[in-house]
Amino acid sequence: MDPVISVRDLWKVFGPNASQLVASDELKALSRQELMDRTGSVAAVRGVDFDVAPGEMFVVMGLSGSGKSTLVRCLTRLVEPTAGTIMFEGENILEADPKRLRDLRRNKFSMVFQHFGLLPHRTVADNVGYGLEIRGVPRAKRAERSQEVIDLVGLSGNEKSYPDQLSGGMQQRVGLARALAGDPDVLFFDEPFSALDPLIRRDMQSEVIRLHREVGKTMVFITHDLSEALKLGDRILIMRDGKVVQVGTGDELVGAPADDYVRDFVRDVPKSHVLTLKWIMRPPRPDDDLDGPELSPETVVREAVRSVLGADKPVKVVRDGELLGVVADEEILGVVAGEA
Amino acid sequence: MVAVAAPRQLPRKPLIFAGIVLAWLVLWLVFRNVGTLALGAADLTPLHRWVNDVNDAVGASRNSNPVFLYFFNEIRLVIDEFVTFIQALIAQPSFGRPVPVIGWLGVVAIAGFVSLAVAGWRVALLAVAGFVFLGLQGLWQESMDTLSLTLAAVVISLLIGIPLGIWAGLSDRAHRILTPVLDFMQTMPTFVYLAPLTLFFLIGPASATIATLIYAAPPAIRITAHAIRTVPRTTVEASESLGATQKQTLVKVLLPSARKTIVLGINQTIMAALSMVTIAALIDAPGLGKTVVKALQTLDVGTAFNAGLAIVVLAIVLDRVTTAAASERRTLPRWALFGGLGVTGVCVYLSYTYLWAAEFQSDVEIGSAIRKGATAVTEWAQDSLPVITDGFKDFVTIVLINPLQALLAESPWFLVALVIVALSFMIGGVRPAIVSAVCIAALIATGLWQDSMITLASTLVATILVMLLGIVVGVWMGRSRRADRFIRPILDAAQVMPAFVYLVPFLALFSASRFTAIIAAVVFAAPVAIKIIADGIRAVSPATVEASTALGSSSWQTIVKVQLPMARGALTLAANQGLIYVLSMVVVGGLVGAGALGYDVVAGFSQGQLYGKGLAAGVAIVVLGVMLDRLTQAAAKRWTN
Ligand SMILES: Nc1ncnc2c1ncn2[C@@H]1O[C@H](COP(=O)(O)OP(=O)(O)OP(=O)(O)O)[C@@H](O)[C@H]1O
Ligand SMILES: [Mg+2]
């Protein structure tokens, strides 16, 4: 399937003469700090490539200052990229004129912000309907659609409240509803739950997972929290100092970290929750008894513990009838013990 | 880290300061009354005569010169028309009628209804009571004249100010261009641009309105720009991310989010306009201010007090209504809206048709009672309190004013110039020294050197008193939340009052003298200084104060060694603002015996042959202002880095 979003060699440099900077291979090769010292400019995003598939939940994660917000703002041109291409459904966004850009923002993508960005002088319903109002949707239709999404995000009964009368979690639901109201193809989230306390955050994460399942939209989700990334992401992109360090599924990052930076990152992840059998299986040895139970390579370790430890023979890892490897007690214990 | 850096360079400085002052004293003894550049009250310099000639020439060519015909006269006409129109509606007999179009009942009803709609029923009640009180004082027409002029100036100010403010809020470049212009407009001593304006727009409502405009528009511009700039970035971004056009974001996001703050700006504009409109009585603007000026000139404290009270009442009503409008989301129930509209309509109709509802005639006239009461209190105070009032007055006069004035005004000009330049250099370095030198040259050029020095002496004394008051009350407020809660509303109220009304009670207590003008200026300037210092003290990190207490400092030690030094920035800012406020009272002080520049300006308005001198005095006040402002700012920079 063709990707919805396809980003190639994307650069964003803040500061004077940004476009000349990215034209010079010598300057591009410098580290962020060196570039800062030499030219006084900040390279927030440096040569980023990635694709997002339709319906995917794509997570971008990195520490504070790594350039995540800048990256996601480049995708909607809230920040003007310095160089590169961003293809959206086959169209290069960087070539869109202001009118086309507005059309895209009105119909194709929308964004949820860390600090909500609600309009304090409008009720919940009017906040949710704001995007439609801007497009010129008539009032009655607006009200109907707003009500739909308000119900969808579980805010029914609060339509007439003002943002400052709501808790943080509820305010972000308004932000979510506002983004959903225009029925966009892609939703961007910039650390939407960082300002919420942990319990509410967990609720909201489940909410997003539910919405993703129900409405099936493509989502690009920014976070600095690895457990959030692992919980939500189909695939995860790890950024450091504006560069991509690794892109992959959760178990790929944990099972095969690209470098020490990523390894450090995922060190404290409970591996049994993330790794699947394919990461821990070994080739069968001659002395193995090969008539034990079978499991798929996609089975998460945690869920295989009981079967493996309960069986007195190694468990066979099988895909489409083909034997890929075996897992015995010591492999399982190696993972579980490593977490203690 | 700041606290450590300062003492290293300090020890030498006080010695040099002391040396300079000592040398000055010695030379003063030697050269006393030599080269003081004195100028008699009725004497003129060639410059003053030349300005008079220009004034006459301008007067003669007013109706022939194209610049006047097609520019200044047009502006004057339009503004005059506008003011006259509002006056015709509520203040002056018009359209061949013996009374204005809308009589007192109608005006009271409109005031009540508008207040009800924007500020709720409590404030509406206050507005109605306030307006009726104005009538009872026997000052209905004067009050309406003042209100008309204020409204005219406010409308024009907002028509200019809000678009400019929006522009400066949206564009960084506009912001960069406008900020220094506004800074300059606001550091200008308030009342000095009256004179040059009369040159172009004649004496009367047009000049008064334009002067008011200059004074009242900057807050509207500044606050609107600030309000737009402080709308959270994410909110704007959210709107853009949904595909809003710039105009949609402005109209649907920025302006509504900034609404409350913009209304606060309107509040400031209205209060500034009221203050200036009353002062503009000096150039023949009609209204309450004129009543006060006339009464001050004849030392009729009773009448001045009654009219001053009316200004206060007007100020309170206007302030309450606009403040309440800024503070809440309010929607009037439909029945109240239409009911109120109906009642107001009926009242307006009645006041249009019947004399009793048009002209305020009352059997319970309380104005004369107030006048008599105030006069009686004044006489009593002057008869029975002289020990206290005169004692205080003489003490300050002898200990502070006289020595300083003698030193400044009786030294040869070159000596004072040398001392000022040397001090400027020590405070700020080369640039302030050059600025001071240029300012001194300008003062000499105005021909009013000695008057300038006398005014400078009064200004310094007033500023010293302001700072003393500011430090004592400010530290108290900064350290005690209760004191702050109690005093702050009083200061807020005091700041809202037009400068004028401060003169009246002090005139009653101290009669006309330099001292009275100084005290009025101190009272006018103190609230700003106190607030700045209180905020500065409060901003000192509590952890530092706690650490000092934990080391066993007494309260006094904590104040002197921790809080005041750390609030240095606030102290210099307070001194700077205090100076500017004090200077802006110089002209007003001229009405109650301040003499020197203040008197020159006031006399220039009333006597044709002193016009040029008055104008020069206005320039001298501005020059003093620029010099002192630059100096205090340089000091602030030096001490806070
Ligand atoms: N408008 C700007 N002007 C100059 N520099 C900027 C601007 N916006 C971001 N930067 C810089 O770009 C870098 C990346 O910032 P960005 O906000 O994208 O990081 P982030 O990963 O979102 O961090 P956080 O987790 O704190 O939100 C930072 O060094 C930041 O200082
Ligand atoms: Mg960010």
Side-chain angles (χ1 to χ4, degrees):
Chain A
M1 230 184 320
D2 288 336
V4 193
I5 301 172
S6 174
V7 175
R8 289 293 171 273
D9 198 25
L10 185 71
W11 282 81
K12 174 64 199 180
V13 178
F14 290 107
N17 310 328
S19 50
Q20 286 157 26
L21 285 184
V22 294
S24 146
D25 285 333
E26 186 211 339
L27 290 175
K28 272 160 75 170
L30 293 178
S31 82
R32 206 191 226 179
Q33 188 58 47
E34 285 166 346
L35 190 73
M36 177 77 208
D37 294 342
R38 287 251 309 252
T39 65
S41 300
V42 182
V45 174
R46 301 196 292 158
V48 167
D49 302 292
F50 65 90
D51 292 318
V52 181
E56 186 176 17
M57 168 72 92
F58 188 81
V59 173
V60 177
M61 102 130 226
L63 295 180
S64 184
S66 56
K68 311 175 297 285
S69 296
T70 310
L71 174 62
V72 76
R73 279 170 175 70
C74 282
L75 300 185
T76 58
R77 279 182 56 191
L78 284 173
V79 162
E80 204 59 51
T82 314
T85 54
I86 301 170
M87 303 300 286
F88 176 80
E89 294 177 347
E91 172 185 0
N92 187 354
I93 299 223
L94 300 193
E95 282 161 11
D97 60 18
K99 183 165 175 315
R100 174 67 191 145
L101 189 62
R102 271 204 303 278
D103 278 351
L104 286 169
R105 288 177 182 169
R106 288 178 181 189
N107 302 307
K108 295 291 187 179
F109 31 72
S110 58
M111 191 153 168
V112 179
F113 296 87
Q114 176 173 3
H115 297 291
F116 320 142
L118 302 179
L119 308 177
H121 56 282
R122 288 171 167 239
T123 61
V124 166
D126 287 344
N127 261 290
V128 173
Y130 178 72
L132 302 172
E133 184 181 329
I134 277 174
R135 291 190 210 171
V137 176
R139 179 183 288 271
K141 259 192 131 166
R142 226 155 64 202
E144 189 185 323
R145 175 64 186 158
S146 305
Q147 194 58 54
E148 263 173 52
V149 278
I150 287 174
D151 294 342
L152 185 65
V153 300
L155 274 176
S156 317
N158 293 296
E159 295 82 358
K160 296 242 166 344
S161 309
Y162 285 90
D164 56 9
Q165 298 166 333
L166 302 178
S167 70
M170 287 164 90
Q171 289 189 28
Q172 195 54 295
R173 281 173 202 262
V174 180
L176 203 54
R178 177 175 66 186
L180 286 168
D183 198 22
D185 293 359
V186 182
L187 281 165
F188 296 105
F189 297 83
D190 185 10
E191 302 202 24
F193 308 142
S194 304
L196 306 179
D197 54 42
L199 280 180
I200 312 270
R201 192 183 312 168
R202 217 165 56 203
D203 274 2
M204 295 296 290
Q205 286 164 353
S206 313
E207 188 77 23
V208 167
I209 292 174
R210 179 178 69 84
L211 283 172
H212 185 228
R213 224 175 274 136
E214 274 177 32
V215 299
K217 303 217 180 280
T218 310
M219 297 184 176
V220 176
F221 194 104
I222 310 289
T223 179
H224 65 245
D225 175 1
L226 182 65
S227 65
E228 187 166 81
L230 291 171
K231 183 168 172 187
L232 298 177
D234 292 327
R235 284 190 307 143
I236 299 166
L237 182 157
I238 295 195
M239 268 185 105
R240 179 192 188 184
D241 285 351
K243 278 192 166 157
V244 178
V245 186
Q246 187 171 8
V247 187
T249 56
D251 56 329
E252 280 169 349
L253 298 182
V254 177
D259 63 6
D260 287 346
Y261 182 72
V262 181
R263 193 166 297 123
D264 231 26
F265 237 121
V266 299
R267 174 178 329 226
D268 295 329
V269 174
K271 298 205 169 47
S272 63
H273 293 206
V274 180
L275 288 184
T276 53
L277 294 186
K278 82 171 175 235
W279 294 102
I280 62 167
M281 67 192 182
R282 60 172 166 80
R285 286 193 292 260
D287 59 332
D288 278 335
D289 218 344
L290 286 182
D291 54 358
E294 296 181 0
L295 283 174
S296 118
E298 266 39 277
T299 315
V300 178
V301 171
R302 185 171 55 156
E303 279 148 20
V305 170
R306 196 170 290 270
S307 333
V308 176
L309 295 185
D312 44 8
K313 300 160 187 166
V315 168
K316 294 185 291 178
V317 179
V318 177
R319 182 191 284 145
D320 301 335
E322 185 195 347
L323 178 67
L324 301 174
V326 298
V327 176
D329 292 2
E330 64 257 44
E331 279 84 28
I332 291 284
L333 291 176
V335 174
V336 178
E339 286 167 11
Chain B
M1 52 290 67
V2 234
V4 185
R8 231 186 305 144
Q9 39 158 296
L10 266 181
R12 262 193 0 250
K13 271 203 169 170
L15 279 181
I16 304 180
F17 268 110
I20 291 179
V21 174
L22 203 68
W24 187 7
L25 281 174
V26 172
L27 289 171
W28 175 74
L29 283 174
V30 179
F31 290 110
R32 192 163 171 199
N33 283 331
V34 175
T36 55
L37 303 185
L39 188 71
D43 296 341
L44 300 178
T45 68
L47 177 78
H48 304 162
R49 277 191 213 99
W50 178 76
V51 177
N52 282 345
D53 293 344
V54 170
N55 187 28
D56 294 342
V58 166
S61 69
R62 185 161 274 126
N63 295 320
S64 52
N65 187 324
V67 180
F68 274 90
L69 274 183
Y70 301 110
F71 187 68
F72 291 122
N73 290 3
E74 289 296 318
I75 295 180
R76 193 184 81 222
L77 279 179
V78 170
I79 292 180
D80 267 340
E81 285 288 316
F82 185 48
V83 174
T84 315
F85 173 70
I86 299 183
Q87 279 180 308
L89 282 184
I90 61 173
Q92 296 282 348
S94 54
F95 304 114
R97 293 154 49 87
V99 288
V101 175
I102 305 175
W104 71 268
L105 188 64
V107 173
V108 169
I110 293 173
F113 177 68
V114 171
S115 311
L116 181 69
V118 301
W121 62 271
R122 277 164 199 274
V123 179
L125 227 56
L126 176 81
V128 168
F131 272 66
V132 170
F133 184 77
L134 295 176
L136 290 176
Q137 282 185 288
L139 291 169
W140 181 259
Q141 188 176 350
E142 290 84 346
S143 306
M144 288 307 107
D145 275 331
T146 296
L147 189 63
S148 306
L149 236 65
T150 308
L151 285 180
V154 167
V155 167
I156 303 175
S157 291
L158 297 181
L159 279 180
I160 298 172
I162 295 210
L164 275 181
I166 291 174
W167 188 42
L170 294 177
S171 143
D172 285 335
R173 178 185 298 175
H175 192 64
R176 265 202 308 279
I177 296 174
L178 281 175
T179 306
V181 178
L182 295 180
D183 282 346
F184 179 72
M185 279 164 85
Q186 292 199 318
T187 46
M188 275 249 280
T190 318
F191 311 113
V192 300
Y193 31 73
L194 290 176
L197 283 175
T198 59
L199 185 62
F200 298 110
F201 300 105
L202 292 176
I203 275 184
S207 285
T209 311
I210 293 172
T212 308
L213 208 70
I214 298 177
Y215 185 53
I221 301 175
R222 238 186 238 279
I223 293 176
T224 304
H226 172 77
I228 288 193
R229 286 181 166 266
T230 45
V231 173
R233 179 78 200 118
T234 352
T235 312
V236 179
E237 228 175 22
S239 172
E240 279 170 10
S241 82
L242 290 165
T245 59
Q246 279 202 349
K247 197 174 139 225
Q248 283 174 324
T249 302
L250 176 67
V251 175
K252 290 175 190 286
V253 178
L254 289 173
L255 288 182
S257 309
R259 197 199 115 237
K260 277 187 190 181
T261 318
I262 293 179
V263 175
L264 276 185
I266 296 177
N267 167 280
Q268 293 214 1
T269 296
I270 292 179
M271 301 327 290
L274 180 62
S275 173
M276 195 66 184
V277 160
T278 50
I279 299 295
L282 288 174
I283 52 170
D284 213 27
L288 293 167
K290 212 166 175 177
T291 314
V292 177
V293 170
K294 273 195 199 141
L296 289 180
Q297 278 162 353
T298 54
L299 299 183
D300 177 356
V301 175
T303 304
F305 183 81
N306 193 34
L309 190 63
I311 297 176
V312 172
V313 170
L314 210 51
I316 291 177
V317 170
L318 291 176
D319 181 51
R320 286 295 92 204
V321 173
T322 41
T323 315
S327 63
E328 271 163 71
R329 268 196 287 268
R330 196 184 309 276
T331 35
L332 213 54
R334 211 160 262 267
W335 63 265
L337 191 70
F338 286 113
L341 215 55
V343 172
T344 308
V346 170
C347 290
V348 171
Y349 174 76
L350 288 178
S351 77
Y352 178 77
T353 318
Y354 298 102
L355 194 61
W356 62 265
E359 225 166 40
F360 204 102
Q361 275 159 336
S362 147
D363 305 329
V364 278
E365 212 257 324
I366 54 174
S368 50
I370 295 176
R371 279 197 295 273
K372 281 194 200 109
T375 312
V377 169
T378 309
E379 275 162 10
W380 173 80
Q382 281 171 352
D383 288 346
S384 43
L385 293 181
V387 186
I388 303 173
T389 54
D390 288 357
F392 181 48
K393 179 175 161 182
D394 293 345
F395 175 77
V396 174
T397 308
I398 293 169
V399 170
L400 273 174
I401 307 177
N402 285 349
L404 200 58
Q405 182 170 324
L407 199 56
L408 279 165
E410 292 171 13
S411 296
W413 68 269
F414 48 85
L415 185 56
V416 179
L418 206 66
V419 170
I420 292 179
V421 172
L423 290 182
S424 307
F425 179 75
M426 286 193 54
I427 289 173
V430 178
R431 276 176 61 117
I434 294 175
V435 172
S436 292
V438 172
C439 287
I440 287 168
L443 286 180
I444 293 172
T446 61
L448 294 166
W449 171 260
Q450 197 178 37
D451 280 359
S452 303
M453 288 305 107
I454 295 173
T455 296
L456 180 60
S458 302
T459 305
L460 291 178
V461 170
T463 309
I464 291 169
L465 293 178
V466 166
M467 286 306 285
L468 284 179
L469 210 61
I471 289 175
V472 171
V473 183
V475 167
W476 185 32
M477 284 171 67
R479 289 173 57 89
S480 149
R481 290 225 168 257
R482 271 182 56 202
D484 192 281
R485 253 203 311 281
F486 178 68
I487 299 175
R488 198 169 283 265
I490 302 176
L491 298 179
D492 289 341
Q495 275 189 300
V496 160
M497 291 305 137
F500 234 25
V501 301
Y502 289 110
L503 290 179
V504 182
F506 296 110
L507 187 66
L509 282 178
F510 303 114
S511 65
S513 70
R514 270 178 311 174
F515 177 78
T516 309
I518 287 178
I519 293 300
V522 169
V523 174
F524 179 64
V528 186
I530 293 174
K531 274 196 202 171
I532 294 175
I533 294 175
D535 292 344
I537 296 282
R538 171 123 320 142
V540 171
S541 127
T544 319
V545 176
E546 204 172 31
S548 155
T549 316
L551 287 170
S553 314
S554 64
S555 296
W556 174 253
Q557 284 170 321
T558 304
I559 293 174
V560 174
K561 293 188 186 295
V562 179
Q563 289 179 308
L564 281 180
M566 286 183 78
R568 243 182 344 225
L571 288 179
T572 41
L573 181 63
N576 176 278
Q577 291 294 301
L579 268 171
I580 289 170
Y581 273 68
V582 166
L583 266 175
S584 70
M585 280 291 275
V586 165
V587 175
V588 180
L591 289 170
V592 290
L597 295 181
Y599 171 82
D600 295 335
V601 173
V602 174
F605 290 132
S606 50
Q607 299 168 40
Q609 75 277 16
L610 292 181
Y611 182 88
K613 194 174 181 185
L615 202 65
V619 172
I621 296 176
V622 174
V623 170
L624 276 181
V626 170
M627 186 170 89
L628 294 171
D629 178 53
R630 293 291 102 192
L631 261 182
T632 40
Q633 294 220 8
K637 216 180 258 159
R638 172 82 25 129
W639 283 335
T640 42
N641 291 341

